[in-house]
Amino acid sequence: MSGVKLTNLRKSYGAVEVIRGVDLDIKPEEFVVFVGPSGCGKSTILRMIAGLEEISGGELTIGGRVMNEVDASKRGIAMVFQSYALYPHMTVEQNMGFALKYAGESRDAIKQQVTDAARILGLEELLDRKPKDLSGGQRQRVAIGRAIVRHPDVFLFDEPLSNLDAELRVQMRIEIARLHKELKTTIIYVTHDQVEAMTLADKIVVLRDGRIEQVGSPLTLYDDPVNQFVAGFIGSPKMNFLPAIVKGDTLVLTELGGQTVPVPPLNNTLQEGEKVTLGIRPEHFRAEGPASLELAVEIVENLGGENYAYASHGTSDVLTVNTGGARDLAPGSALTARFDPASALVFAEDGMRLR
Ligand code: ADP
Ligand code: MG
């Protein structure tokens, strides 16, 4: 299996630079997930790796070989897209074998590869069907099968599950994890689904405006984000951000009517009067804790296991509070949201994390 290395990778369309110097080292067999807001360049990077998009600057190596100018068909890569156009007039078997037939492989070899892929994907019973007689999940499996038969060194997935309903997504997510264990292929996977990113990735790459913000294991990004952007992007529901001003060893929360909480333990020394942002994850609110916020409940969402209150103070932005087992909060009621300052993060005015 091959690793993939991007060195100062760049892409411009005319005068507009959309990929602005990306450095990334993907190890063989690693499962890497790209996340980031729409338009940040995820698909463009994938397409450059695949050879579907010319590289404007920097270097791409796959398995240690420079690939910038190598034809897409010779890069050892297969790509699965969100829209997985299958040939409607062909059976599952013909759809899966098409690329091999096109490449001039023998009938027996094609049969063998398609049978193997069908077994891995649980499609054995469906080989004679046409796409119109398949469910959405089965069609997506055929699209993945079409890629597997080519025995790629590197699999690229661009939001492959976005068109599926919630239940199927969960099922396919587990299948993709299983597939990775079985094939041990290097995988680069784009998604905007938090759970897919957190559960599938060995390593998540957070992108913004054509640049990498942070690379790390899912829990590293969750526990130890380098800046407010990553902190806000990883985690669902999202981290709460509270503007604050430093006063002695307290933070005055300017949008919560001047309520104060202790400054979290930091190595950085904060300046008197400094403007910072306090970050608290919804699940870090507890029944007990040395710091507390006085809030009013606006909306309650009791999901059973996880229960959330959306609460505010006066005209402040709404905070999300995971209320743990408490399901008895009513809209309009008062809520004292407690937390341990040690679990809160502090960001400087420019968004960088203060540690
Ligand atoms: P993502 O997949 O992260 O949503 P894309 O990689 O599709 O983002 O796009 C990154 C940026 O490049 C966007 O601003 C998009 O408008 C721009 N872009 C993509 N393809 C082209 C193109 N063919 N011509 C001009 N701009 C493009
Ligand atoms: Mg995209």
Side-chain angles (χ1 to χ4, degrees):
M1 290 308 139
S2 299
V4 176
K5 195 165 180 192
L6 313 179
T7 310
N8 195 19
L9 197 75
R10 288 172 188 274
K11 176 73 190 177
S12 301
Y13 293 106
V16 185
E17 194 172 39
V18 296
I19 303 299
R20 304 194 288 165
V22 165
D23 293 296
L24 185 63
D25 197 355
I26 299 170
K27 305 264 179 291
E29 299 183 24
E30 208 165 29
F31 198 129
V32 172
V33 174
F34 287 180
V35 297
S38 184
C40 69
K42 305 178 294 293
S43 296
T44 303
I45 297 176
L46 229 53
R47 292 170 58 80
M48 282 197 281
I49 295 171
L52 302 174
E53 201 75 70
E54 203 174 305
I55 295 171
S56 310
E59 191 176 81
L60 162 71
T61 68
I62 301 174
R65 260 185 75 200
V66 178
M67 291 287 179
N68 289 45
E69 307 295 335
V70 174
D71 194 73
S73 63
K74 305 225 159 58
R75 294 188 184 191
I77 271 181
M79 189 153 168
V80 178
F81 299 91
Q82 177 180 344
S83 55
Y84 34 86
L86 301 175
Y87 297 108
H89 59 287
M90 290 186 192
T91 63
V92 166
E93 182 167 8
Q94 288 164 338
N95 264 289
M96 282 168 63
F98 182 75
L100 302 178
K101 190 172 170 196
Y102 189 75
E105 294 209 21
S106 74
R107 277 181 64 158
D108 285 351
I110 296 172
K111 181 100 191 161
Q112 185 62 49
Q113 316 251 37
V114 170
T115 307
D116 283 352
R119 179 187 51 75
I120 291 168
L121 293 163
L123 291 170
E124 292 126 308
E125 311 293 316
L126 306 175
L127 286 172
D128 294 331
R129 291 212 197 159
K130 298 269 175 67
K132 69 173 170 43
D133 301 320
L134 300 174
S135 70
Q138 289 166 340
R139 283 182 209 155
Q140 185 58 297
R141 275 205 289 269
V142 176
I144 294 171
R146 211 168 38 177
I148 289 179
V149 296
R150 299 173 51 202
H151 294 291
D153 289 331
V154 182
F155 253 122
L156 306 177
F157 287 94
D158 196 351
E159 309 207 26
L161 308 185
S162 300
N163 287 342
L164 305 179
D165 64 41
E167 198 180 331
L168 260 179
R169 286 183 78 115
V170 173
Q171 196 183 325
M172 286 303 294
R173 187 178 86 217
I174 293 166
E175 291 203 12
I176 287 175
R178 197 171 52 74
L179 196 67
H180 181 239
K181 284 209 166 59
E182 178 156 354
L183 300 178
K184 296 195 178 359
T185 312
T186 310
I187 293 182
I188 310 176
Y189 188 102
V190 171
T191 182
H192 59 258
D193 184 300
Q194 285 281 329
V195 182
E196 279 174 33
M198 294 300 282
T199 55
L200 289 172
D202 295 316
K203 196 153 95 180
I204 296 179
V205 178
V206 183
L207 291 152
R208 173 166 64 161
D209 286 343
R211 286 204 180 94
I212 292 179
E213 292 283 315
Q214 190 171 2
V215 179
S217 73
L219 291 179
T220 300
L221 298 196
Y222 176 88
D223 290 333
D224 202 12
V226 295
N227 58 31
Q228 197 174 332
F229 180 81
V230 174
F233 204 83
I234 300 290
S236 178
K238 203 166 133 60
M239 184 181 280
N240 297 294
F241 294 120
L242 306 174
I245 292 176
V246 178
K247 187 175 178 197
D249 47 16
T250 64
L251 295 176
V252 179
L253 302 171
T254 46
E255 286 187 8
L256 290 183
Q259 299 183 56
T260 60
V261 295
V263 172
L266 297 173
N267 293 325
N268 278 274
T269 314
L270 302 182
Q271 304 301 313
E272 187 72 11
E274 187 174 343
K275 284 185 184 165
V276 296
T277 300
L278 185 69
I280 310 172
R281 293 204 183 273
E283 58 275 27
H284 285 155
F285 288 108
R286 293 283 144 84
E288 299 297 327
S292 63
L293 304 175
E294 298 302 332
L295 305 170
V297 176
E298 291 196 4
I299 291 170
V300 177
E301 284 181 354
N302 290 333
L303 304 178
E306 301 290 341
N307 304 292
Y308 295 98
Y310 299 90
S312 63
H313 181 97
T315 57
S316 71
D317 284 347
V318 174
L319 272 74
T320 311
V321 178
N322 182 327
T323 58
R327 307 172 180 184
D328 53 354
L329 293 167
S333 63
L335 170 64
T336 303
R338 299 185 185 282
F339 66 100
D340 181 350
S343 67
L345 306 182
V346 182
F347 302 95
E349 233 184 332
D350 65 1
M352 290 313 288
R353 169 92 177 280
L354 296 170
R355 295 165 188 277

